[in-house]
Amino acid sequence: MLLEERVALVTGASRGIGRATAKMFAKEGAQVAVNYLQNEEAAQAVVREIQEAGGTAMAVQADVTQNDHVHRMITQVQEKFGAIDTLVLNAGLSFPVVPFLDYTWKDFETKLSGELKAAFLCCQEVVPSMVSQKRGCIISISSTLSRFPSQGFCAHSSAKSALDAFIKSLALELGPHGIRVNSIAPGLTMTDATDFLPDEQKQMMAEMTPLRRNAQPEDIAGAILLLASNYADFITANYLPVCGGMLMV
């Protein structure tokens, strides 16, 4: 039970990497809040799976780019489970995958500001209780594209790069309070968010990866669990690629 007696909030946890993380955290003993934006049915399904396996979870709706939503979400979790000591910033904003010359500033700005605002608001609500407890763990979901851009992903790469800088700043400021802050950088991961990619491209990516396959959500969740556990107590300000060796830093 790597996360026994821990209270975790996973944003964007109704599907994909967030779903796998919520289930893995609960299996390791954490009480888990499953955040979702619109798909309540999917979020409740995650909660049921956790409960049927003997874990503890709740679903909580919030648009994490809205201050009042975030405040209400944190209050609901704290009232049911107590102070949050583990925060996974997984919720992401959709974006057009098009060349730079076809981008509009509005689409670019929406991705860039939304990604940072979601992280900023969630951290600002959760960190005070972590400071009071003199312990806490924050893990953001970045991307290998923040270091190794790809055609059509300029908004995503820029947003994740900015998020990486934000996370390092938090690690510096919050370290003296016993709070660890790290980033996980997935490579291509087989979720519904990547369904739009052609099979040929997915196969090509797998063949370019030293481990000769693309990631599954559980691969990313395992790395998140590692950084959340006490075995990572002296790891902070870390950018951890989870990409089968595709990106070597």
Side-chain angles (χ1 to χ4, degrees), residues 55-215:
T56 303
M58 65 180 289
V60 57
Q61 192 278 335
D63 178 347
V64 289
T65 66
Q66 300 299 317
N67 189 54
D68 57 335
H69 281 225
V70 173
H71 179 73
R72 183 179 69 243
M73 172 177 67
I74 302 304
T75 300
Q76 290 174 342
V77 176
Q78 290 176 337
E79 287 177 349
K80 185 162 185 176
F81 291 154
I84 296 166
D85 51 38
T86 306
L87 172 63
V88 180
L89 301 168
N90 172 71
L93 279 72
S94 60
F95 58 95
V97 180
V98 296
F100 167 70
L101 291 177
D102 295 331
Y103 248 98
T104 65
W105 172 249
K106 181 179 180 182
D107 286 338
F108 189 90
E109 182 182 35
T110 297
K111 174 64 173 176
L112 186 64
S113 63
E115 197 90 21
L116 288 172
K117 188 176 183 181
F120 182 94
L121 293 178
C122 288
C123 289
Q124 203 162 59
E125 282 286 340
V126 169
V127 164
S129 63
M130 291 182 175
V131 171
S132 297
Q133 297 177 86
K134 300 187 185 305
R135 66 183 179 90
C137 175
I138 299 170
I139 301 168
S140 78
I141 307 306
S142 180
S143 169
T144 54
L145 292 174
S146 73
R147 303 282 180 94
F148 190 72
S150 181
Q151 176 76 16
F153 288 84
C154 66
H156 185 66
S157 296
S158 299
K160 293 301 188 181
S161 294
L163 182 62
D164 292 346
F166 174 68
I167 290 302
K168 286 191 290 186
S169 296
L170 286 188
L172 177 67
E173 292 194 28
L174 301 181
H177 299 285
I179 301 168
R180 300 184 297 106
V181 191
N182 292 288
S183 293
I184 291 284
L188 178 60
T189 306
M190 298 297 97
T191 69
D192 58 348
T194 58
D195 282 345
F196 73 95
L197 294 173
D199 289 340
E200 295 80 6
Q201 184 175 348
K202 295 175 184 176
Q203 183 60 33
M204 180 187 69
M205 293 291 289
E207 291 172 356
M208 292 170 61
T209 301
L211 291 181
R212 295 297 188 272
R213 68 177 179 86
N214 295 315

